């Protein structure tokens, strides 16, 4: 006799312990990466550790090459999808190819435009700071609060 629910019993190891261990390991690993590679100056590291420091410190932007690679993947996926649709509906395949490539191009060009805009804005700020000789001003420290005066204990003054 077949009992489909016979093997579905509650195991605390898989439902409670392993997810908790996964969360704790993730937090500990993230803290270890931060403390070992990001906070330490990069000139003290060599080889693979130096490359890992460069990757984790976010000083080098990998977004632009990644967007270009994703655009190429999207174009190939659209072309293959339109070839699959071509077997059943020719007009839909042509429309998918043209409209899909147009939408992909617009989306990725807009993303690249945002990246270039951010990069140019940072460059303009660095050049202006260099030309004016003004370093970025630190945030002002909050002023200490003045103590309220107690006027109840003083006698009234006559003018």
């Amino acid at each position: 006799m077949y009992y489909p629910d016979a093997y579905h019993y509650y195991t605390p190891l898989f439902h409670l312990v392993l997810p908790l261990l996964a969360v704790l390991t993730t937090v500990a690993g993230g803290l270890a990466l931060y403390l070992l590679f990001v906070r330490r100056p990069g000139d003290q590291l060599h080889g693979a550790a130096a490359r890992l420091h460069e990757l984790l410190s976010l000083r080098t932007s990998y977004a632009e090459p990644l967007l270009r690679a994703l655009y190429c993947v999207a174009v190939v996926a659209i072309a293959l999808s339109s070839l699959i649709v071509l077997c059943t509906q020719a007009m839909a395949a042509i429309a998918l190819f043209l409209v899909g490539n147009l939408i992909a191009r617009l989306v990725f060009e807009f993303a690249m435009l945002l990246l270039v805009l951010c990069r140019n804005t940072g460059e303009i700020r660095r050049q202006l700071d260099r030309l004016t000789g003004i370093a970025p001003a630190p945030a002002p420290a909050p002023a200490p609060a003045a103590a309220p005066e107690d006027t109840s204990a003083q006698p009234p003054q006559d003018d």
Side-chain angles (χ1 to χ4, degrees), residues 36-55:
L36 292 174
F37 294 104
V38 177
R39 284 187 45 188
R40 180 180 292 177
D43 56 354
Q44 296 177 355
L45 303 171
H46 303 288
R51 288 191 298 273
L52 186 61
H53 176 269
E54 181 182 329
L55 177 71

Side-chain angles (χ1 to χ4, degrees), residues 48-96:
R51 288 191 298 273
L52 186 61
H53 176 269
E54 181 182 329
L55 177 71
L56 293 175
S57 65
L58 298 177
R59 288 196 180 101
T60 305
S61 175
Y62 295 105
E64 192 170 339
L66 183 64
L67 276 174
R68 288 184 178 148
L70 286 175
Y71 174 69
C72 292
V73 169
V75 167
V76 169
I78 291 168
L80 290 176
S81 299
S82 66
L83 282 176
I84 291 170
V85 174
L86 184 64
C87 296
T88 58
Q89 297 175 352
M91 291 305 290
I94 293 171
L96 174 66

Side-chain angles (χ1 to χ4, degrees), residues 3 9 13 20 22 24 26 37 39 41 45 51 63-65 83 93 102 108 118 122 124 135 141 145 155 157:
Y3 299 106
Y9 50 89
L13 177 69
L20 184 63
L24 290 175
T26 303
F37 294 104
R39 284 187 45 188
L45 303 171
R51 288 191 298 273
E64 192 170 339
L83 282 176
L102 180 69
F108 282 101
C118 290
I124 289 170
Q157 296 177 352

